[in-house]
Amino acid sequence: MNRLPVIPTLLVALAVATMIGLGIWQLQRKEQKDALLSRYESAVGLPAVIWPTDPDPAALPLFRRSSLLCARVVKIETVSGSNAAGKAGFAHIASCRTSEVEGPDAKVAFGWSERPQSPSWGGGPVEGIVAPHGTQHIKLVSTDAVDGLEILAEPSPRQIPNNHLLYAIQWFIFAAAATIIYLLALRKRTKAS
């Protein structure tokens, strides 16, 4: 009579339980992301907000209209982006001081071009839509054209992916594969005995 190897069985059982737990966690994350995206979708038609100088990551006014004064352009970076017609190209984003003195920085996506040219923009009043932006959390995407540049695509909650269901399925497949491989290994071991 062959005995079940205790330590390998415990290790595989622990790994499979962890993968199933991760799959369940991803399903919970999917529900949270659905609620967040629904909140963002409902924010689209709300009135404009005052530009937050110190945005709270837990309560960002994403996809709301806002405005700010870009008093001084500190630097301009160029990243990939789309114009209002959906054509791929380059978005130009300025780091702005919001006052002449050392006021807080604000990111302003001020225009689109087909080539990664280095546009010159001196700042000024900007109206637009609040969109997500990396470590600074938010940027203002201008809804007006700047000299020589086209208007960027309007930010939309539909651009934010919700892949948590796929991640959950992936973890469940890993758990099933690990179980099947281990059972096949046990079967081979039993036949060899």
Side-chain angles (χ1 to χ4, degrees), residues 23 41 47 55 59 75-77 88 104 108-109 112 114 116 128 130 134 140 157 159 183 190:
E41 197 68 48
K75 77 173 184 178
I76 295 175
E77 58 186 306
V108 176
W112 177 92
E114 203 165 354
V130 181
L140 187 64
Q159 296 165 336
L183 290 174
T190 304

Side-chain angles (χ1 to χ4, degrees), residues 70-73 76 120-124 146:
C70 180
R72 183 167 58 93
V73 176
I76 295 175
S120 66
W121 179 60
V146 173

